């Protein structure tokens, strides 16, 4: 059995609904369909979810949100009418409208998925199953035991269901949403709950590219990669698949297929537990993010000064900033954070480290980009990282830091923002082309 999740672009309008129907009907194994809220299209430049967020903002500011709600309502009614459906979506819209003035953020923002799934279930002739009936949160995590118990009471043998993604309920029955991109997570959880043979993630791209196609024209598609490789690439910035959606299927060894709703005939990317790597394919994928700050601290034999280490971490924790910690020697280590996360706290943090921690030096670097090369080859042949460094040095790209653990499947290079695109291009174009040469010398 397959669980098929369709993203916002796949359900943006009636035309996209028809593509989804053709895909689902082409294979009887697609018995569980999970949908995001209707997304952008040529006629609709704003996602329904973003419109609902704007409604909440206007409501809280005591401004008129009705025109935007009317637009959202009109959009769903038009999809219903163009498809010739009979579902009384107006009743649902009326209930939502009646609750806007005092409803929670999570309830309001999740209604895009709810309405989209209602229409999709009617169009496919499947049973609509509201995620609020069975997707149970326990704190910030899904309670799998409670969720599967509730789901089993709802579905019967031979079931065909449509489920809205992105939300569930807490123990008190209140709507709880997942992070943005939560439709991927919902689909992955559904695959886990029903013990699917395959989790299909349908989007608007034909699989995962080796590098950002906005930087590399005609970037090669990755045909197969492992869960771990996908997780590292997702963490480092590829937007095709949500990082948190990997673990639920990895736990049960359910393969992931990343496919294109607009071109279902094209092969996508398959994600599995292990692959037979081509020894000449040194890098599976390249990803990165711009706009980091790096705070480097040093003190003679700092690794032995637990008292100073405790002071440093106390300062960092006090400001509530999410830093990554990178040891860089016996006397020093660095903290990395996105510039937007640090915001106006940066000068205060630097002053606190300089004045309160008895350090020899505190160094700040801004406008740093992180570029990660990901591959299982890196864990087996760590010298590859050195060869990549040589290639970047030949291009006169200054490396501010390198992060790689001995067993790691990725190596991360810190470069200036202005060298970000050039670094990705250099690794993409030169590393795998030099694989045979590297094989002789590593």
């Amino acid at each position: 059995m397959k669980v098929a999740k369709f993203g916002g672009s796949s359900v943006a309008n009636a035309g996209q609904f028809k593509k989804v129907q053709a895909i689902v009907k082409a294979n009887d194994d697609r018995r569980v369909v999970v949908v995001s809220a209707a997304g952008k299209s040529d006629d609709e430049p704003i996602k329904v979810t973003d419109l609902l967020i704007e409604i909440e903002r206007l409501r809280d500011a005591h401004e008129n949100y009705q025109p935007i709600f009317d637009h959202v309502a009109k959009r769903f009614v038009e999809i219903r009418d163009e498809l010739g459906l009979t579902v009384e979506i107006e009743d649902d819209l009326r209930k939502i409208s009646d609750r806007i003035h005092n409803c929670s953020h999570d309830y309001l923002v999740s209604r895009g998925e709810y309405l989209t799934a209602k229409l999709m279930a009617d169009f496919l002739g499947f049973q609509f199953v509201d995620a609020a009936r069975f997707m149970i949160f326990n704190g910030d995590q899904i309670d799998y035991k409670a969720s599967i118990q509730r789901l089993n009471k709802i579905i019967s043998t031979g079931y065909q269901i449509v489920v809205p993604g992105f939300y569930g309920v807490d123990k008190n029955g209140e709507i709880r949403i997942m992070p943005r991109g939560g439709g991927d997570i919902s689909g992955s959880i559904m695959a886990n709950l029903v013990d699917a043979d395959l989790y299909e993630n349908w989007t608007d791209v034909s699989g995962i590219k080796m590098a950002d196609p906005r930087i590399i024209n005609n970037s090669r598609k990755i045909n197969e990669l492992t869960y771990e490789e996908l997780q590292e690439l997702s963490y480092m910035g590829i937007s095709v698949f949500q990082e948190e959606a990997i673990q639920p299927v990895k736990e049960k060894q359910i393969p992931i297929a990343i496919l294109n709703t607009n071109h279902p005939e094209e092969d996508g990317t398959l994600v599995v537990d292990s692959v037979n790597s081509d020894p000449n394919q040194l890098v599976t994928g390249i990803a990165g993010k711009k706009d980091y700050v790096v705070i480097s601290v040093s003190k003679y034999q700092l690794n032995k000064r637990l008292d100073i280490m405790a002071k440093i971490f106390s300062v960092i924790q006090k400001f509530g900033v999410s830093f990554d910690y990178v040891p860089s020697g016996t006397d020093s280590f660095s903290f990395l954070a996105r510039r937007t996360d640090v915001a106006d706290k940066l000068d205060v943090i630097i002053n606190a480290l300089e004045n309160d921690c008895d350090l020899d030096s505190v160094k700040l670097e801004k406008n740093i980009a992180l570029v990660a090369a990901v591959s299982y080859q890196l864990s087996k042949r760590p010298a590859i990282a050195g060869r990549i460094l040589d290639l970047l040095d030949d291009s006169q790209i200054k490396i501010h830091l390198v992060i790689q653990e001995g067993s790691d499947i990725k190596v991360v290079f810190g470069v200036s923002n202005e060298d970000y695109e050039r670094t990705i291009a250099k690794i993409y174009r030169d590393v795998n082309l030099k694989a045979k040469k590297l094989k002789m010398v590593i």
Side-chain angles (χ1 to χ4, degrees):
M1 186 197 35
K2 300 177 181 180
V3 170
K5 181 265 173 181
F6 293 89
S9 63
S10 300
V11 293
N13 53 38
Q16 293 300 98
F17 267 59
K18 293 175 183 177
K19 293 178 183 178
V20 170
Q21 184 192 56
I23 290 167
V24 172
K25 297 299 185 182
N27 191 320
D28 291 339
D29 289 339
R30 295 186 178 111
R31 289 164 38 201
V32 178
V33 174
V34 180
V35 296
S36 296
K40 296 179 183 178
S41 68
D42 291 340
D43 298 326
E44 295 286 349
I46 304 176
K47 300 175 182 179
V48 163
T49 299
D50 291 330
L51 292 172
L52 293 170
I53 291 172
E54 178 63 10
I55 289 171
E56 181 185 37
R57 186 192 70 79
L58 292 171
R59 178 200 69 182
D60 293 346
H62 304 290
E63 297 179 24
N64 183 18
Y65 58 78
Q66 195 61 46
I68 297 180
F69 181 80
D70 290 344
H71 179 78
V72 171
K74 180 172 177 286
R75 187 168 174 181
F76 284 106
V77 169
E78 285 180 348
I79 292 174
R80 190 270 313 272
D81 291 346
E82 187 171 339
L83 295 175
L85 305 179
T86 58
V87 59
E88 295 291 341
I89 203 72
E90 291 90 349
D91 291 343
D92 293 297
L93 289 163
R94 193 175 304 109
K95 291 176 183 177
I96 296 167
S97 179
D98 290 343
R99 290 190 59 179
I100 288 179
H101 69 284
N102 64 357
C103 70
S104 69
H105 167 82
D106 287 18
Y107 172 82
L108 181 57
V109 174
S110 68
R111 295 307 87 187
E113 279 77 11
Y114 176 87
L115 295 168
T116 304
K118 266 291 192 73
L119 293 177
M120 183 61 72
D122 195 46
F123 188 48
L124 295 177
F126 282 20
Q127 177 187 358
F128 169 75
V129 177
D130 190 356
R133 296 178 62 190
F134 71 90
M135 191 79 74
I136 311 299
F137 279 90
N138 184 0
D140 292 331
Q141 304 297 320
I142 291 294
D143 185 331
Y144 283 86
K145 183 178 180 181
S147 297
I148 190 62
Q149 287 175 346
R150 289 201 185 186
L151 182 61
N152 284 338
K153 293 178 181 179
I154 298 169
I155 59 178
S156 57
T157 303
Y159 59 86
Q160 294 176 309
I161 61 175
V162 174
V163 177
F166 189 39
Y167 70 91
V169 292
D170 63 20
K171 295 291 186 179
N172 297 318
E174 297 296 324
I175 295 291
R176 282 283 307 273
I177 62 172
M178 299 173 186
R180 289 300 292 264
D184 290 353
I185 304 171
S186 294
S188 180
I189 292 169
M190 284 301 304
N192 180 298
L193 294 177
V194 301
D195 292 318
D197 300 308
L198 179 67
Y199 171 41
E200 296 180 335
N201 191 277
W202 292 88
T203 180
D204 55 2
V205 294
S206 298
I208 298 173
K209 301 293 185 180
M210 181 179 169
D212 190 337
R214 294 170 296 184
I215 298 172
I216 304 296
N217 290 329
N218 300 314
S219 175
R220 293 191 295 277
K221 179 175 65 68
I222 304 171
N223 293 322
E224 285 189 342
L225 76 166
T226 65
Y227 299 117
E228 288 78 10
E229 288 173 323
L230 176 59
Q231 188 157 347
E232 295 292 358
L233 289 169
S234 297
Y235 176 75
M236 287 304 300
I238 68 162
S239 58
V240 176
F241 196 82
Q242 190 76 8
E243 179 192 356
E244 291 89 343
I246 298 169
Q247 186 57 35
V249 287
K250 177 185 175 184
E251 182 180 284
K252 290 191 173 180
Q253 300 291 291
I254 300 168
I256 306 167
I258 299 172
L259 302 160
N260 190 339
T261 303
N262 300 316
H263 296 283
E265 75 284 356
E266 294 182 358
D267 292 333
T269 295
L270 186 67
V271 186
V272 291
D273 184 52
S274 63
V275 298
N276 294 320
S277 305
D278 178 354
N280 293 327
Q281 182 78 20
L282 299 183
V283 174
T284 301
I286 309 157
K289 303 173 185 177
K290 284 185 175 181
D291 296 324
Y292 275 82
V293 298
V294 180
I295 302 173
S296 301
V297 300
S298 66
K299 175 77 175 180
Y300 178 64
Q301 292 192 329
L302 180 58
N303 64 323
K304 297 180 180 179
R305 295 295 304 272
L306 297 182
D307 56 329
I308 296 179
M309 295 276 281
K311 288 181 181 179
I312 294 168
F313 282 104
S314 176
V315 167
I316 293 297
Q317 291 172 355
K318 180 170 64 176
F319 292 97
V321 176
S322 177
F323 279 99
D324 288 328
Y325 162 70
V326 183
S328 52
T330 58
D331 297 339
S332 61
F333 59 86
S334 300
F335 292 100
L336 289 73
R338 298 298 293 271
R339 179 178 53 80
T340 51
D341 293 339
V342 179
D344 56 355
K345 300 177 183 178
L346 190 56
D347 289 341
V348 182
I349 293 172
I350 296 296
N351 288 335
L353 290 170
E354 290 176 334
N355 297 326
D356 301 340
C357 297
D358 190 26
L359 293 165
D360 292 340
S361 70
V362 179
K363 179 183 176 183
L364 172 65
E365 293 181 281
K366 299 180 181 180
N367 302 317
I368 299 297
L370 300 183
V371 176
V374 176
S375 173
Y376 258 108
Q377 296 278 4
L378 289 162
S379 64
K380 301 173 185 175
R381 304 160 68 183
I384 292 173
R387 296 297 173 178
I388 298 175
L389 275 171
D390 288 342
L391 290 170
L392 298 178
D393 185 60
D394 290 344
S395 297
Q396 298 184 327
I397 295 173
K398 181 180 178 181
I399 305 299
H400 294 259
L401 76 156
V402 179
I403 308 169
Q404 185 186 30
E405 298 178 4
S407 61
D408 209 346
I409 66 169
K410 74 176 184 300
V411 57
V412 180
F413 303 97
V415 301
S416 66
N417 278 345
E418 63 185 17
D419 285 331
Y420 174 73
E421 289 83 1
R422 196 156 63 99
T423 301
I424 289 177
K426 186 68 176 176
I427 296 173
Y428 176 85
R429 292 183 181 129
D430 288 0
V431 172
N432 287 330
L433 293 177
K434 296 179 182 292
K436 291 183 180 179
K437 180 178 178 181
L438 290 173
K439 189 176 180 181
M440 291 188 292
V441 296
I442 289 176

